[in-house]
Amino acid sequence: MSLVRIEKLDRFAQGIVEGSDVAIRGALPGETLTNGINDAASPDRITPACQHFGACGGCLAQHMSSSLYAQWKLELVTRPLRDHGLSPIIDPLVPVPPRSRRRAKFSVTAKELGFHAPADTKVIDLAECPVVTPRIEAVLPRLRDLISAIGAPGADTRISVADLDGGLDVVVSGISTELTAKRRTVLANLAASAGLARLTIDSDTIVTRTTPRLVTSAGAIPLAPDGFFQAVAAAEHAIVAAVLAGLTPKTKRIADLFAGTGTLTLPLARVARVLAADTEKTALEALMQGARNTQGLKPIETLRRDLFREPLSPKELELFDAVVLDPPYAGARAQCEKLAEKLAASKVKTVIMVSCHPGTLARDAKILVDGGFTLQRVTPIDQFLWSNHVESVAVFRR
């Protein structure tokens, strides 16, 4: 008879067997298992919110109590920071409610539409999803109709759905079928009957009934198909609040790096002049259109540049009191290395980093700290509900 006790959780929400590095999926701390059978459920074990939990790899932690879940999420942020010798103030986890994710990307096969199974290429066909907004969940059957009308999906076919002001913005990518005039008409009719605001297939916009807009705390921004924005509105508001709280009253000019469509630029422009830098031309155009439609903003200047290949120079940085970084998932190593090496000679007093990956946040934070900054505070935000991703806002001061 093999008896094991679960000591803790790893970053994939798997239970780690006491005295070993063996991970057991679905096991919780304090539980004992005999020959793989749970002897007694933990008091922190709850009924998952979704019928697909366990089979679908989209969620890892629906089986935890709210207290254990918050503890696990905070540990995802604090552990990498500790590993890099950093111990800032860590704010309590900012929660988001279920059914609040307003953008999602689904995988597609001839019969399934959903997310992949854990560590598997199999796609779980979703009958429900308590993470996404009700409007996205309700349109899932109609998306299957769209795929059927397009024809056989390719190996990399994906459907991105964004729930925006004006309606649902749907982008299908990776199709393997020619879009004939007849097929385009069928797709346009299906999009209309499904109430889609816009349907785009491999960069080809089939129909636009209403231009989807992202309504932010500072203004409305018209978005290009598949344009990036924060996944949850409540999380976006928390990010903006934490970023603004990290500024000082003396902040007069800010560089917003990896600005995207301007969800941070516009709120920042209410308190200071802003340079918004990004590599995507369409994102910067949307940002400026949003700025033109918003009153009470200080001047905004845009800069189109690949910040990984060409970070701001020391001379350029000397113009700013604060730098805000919201890098892509892979982190901003090139930019942070330049900051660590060259900000010591500039006048920048504050750096605020927004990150959706605790590991790269800790790595980049260490680079900044080694360059002369102090990591003062980190605000973790549970934007990616029931997953092992956490959005964080980190404030660095010279």
Side-chain angles (χ1 to χ4, degrees), residues 80-375:
L81 292 171
R82 288 198 307 267
D83 291 344
H84 284 81
L86 304 172
S87 54
I89 296 172
I90 306 290
D91 290 328
L93 181 71
V94 178
V96 300
R99 305 191 184 281
S100 61
R101 182 159 184 146
R102 55 187 177 175
R103 65 174 172 84
K105 180 172 286 189
F106 301 101
S107 296
V108 178
T109 70
K111 296 182 179 180
E112 295 88 13
L113 186 152
F115 300 120
H116 285 281
D120 197 341
T121 58
K122 179 182 178 182
V123 175
I124 302 302
D125 192 45
L126 295 181
E128 65 172 339
C129 181
V131 174
V132 300
T133 64
R135 192 152 60 167
I136 293 179
E137 185 181 54
V139 84
L140 292 179
R142 309 309 300 272
L143 297 182
R144 293 182 179 87
D145 294 340
L146 280 174
I147 292 299
S148 296
I150 291 172
D156 297 318
T157 301
R158 302 286 186 273
I159 297 185
S160 297
V161 188
D163 189 349
L164 295 164
D165 180 61
L168 294 177
D169 191 15
V170 174
V171 177
V172 184
S173 60
I175 69 166
S176 57
T177 306
E178 180 184 357
L179 291 181
T180 62
K182 180 179 180 181
R183 186 165 274 150
R184 290 171 65 90
T185 299
V186 171
L187 291 170
N189 290 336
L190 282 172
S193 66
L196 305 186
R198 181 169 59 194
L199 172 63
T200 303
I201 299 178
D202 280 340
S203 301
D204 182 2
T205 298
I206 304 299
V207 61
T208 301
R209 298 171 63 240
T210 306
T211 299
R213 303 185 311 160
L214 175 67
V215 177
T216 74
S217 58
I221 302 169
L223 288 183
D226 220 11
F228 176 81
F229 58 95
Q230 298 295 345
V232 176
E236 178 194 303
H237 297 157
I239 291 168
V240 170
V243 169
L244 292 176
L247 302 174
T248 70
K250 295 183 178 180
T251 302
K252 302 299 181 184
R253 188 145 192 226
I254 302 167
D256 183 10
L257 308 183
F258 307 98
T261 55
T263 53
L264 290 176
T265 304
L266 299 190
L268 289 170
R270 291 199 181 280
V271 299
R273 295 172 63 96
V274 181
L275 171 70
D278 200 275
T279 186
E280 294 292 338
K281 179 182 178 181
T282 55
L284 293 176
E285 289 174 345
L287 184 159
M288 290 309 298
Q289 189 170 343
R292 287 190 290 271
N293 296 333
T294 304
Q295 296 183 344
L297 301 182
K298 297 184 184 299
I300 297 173
E301 178 185 354
T302 61
L303 173 65
R304 186 184 178 194
R305 182 187 289 187
D306 186 338
L307 295 171
F308 289 117
R309 294 180 179 273
E310 190 183 358
L312 296 188
S313 68
K315 186 174 182 179
E316 290 171 308
L317 287 167
E318 287 180 358
L319 299 172
F320 305 102
D321 307 303
V323 172
V324 176
L325 286 156
D326 188 3
Y329 180 84
R333 186 174 184 85
Q335 181 69 35
C336 288
E337 284 177 339
K338 296 299 182 182
L339 286 170
E341 296 168 359
K342 300 178 180 180
L343 272 178
S346 76
K347 297 179 181 179
V348 177
K349 301 295 184 184
T350 301
V351 172
I352 303 173
M353 181 177 290
V354 182
S355 174
C356 62
H357 190 289
T360 55
L361 170 64
R363 178 202 68 193
D364 296 343
K366 185 63 165 61
I367 295 170
L368 286 175
V369 168
D370 288 347
F373 286 84
T374 298
L375 175 54

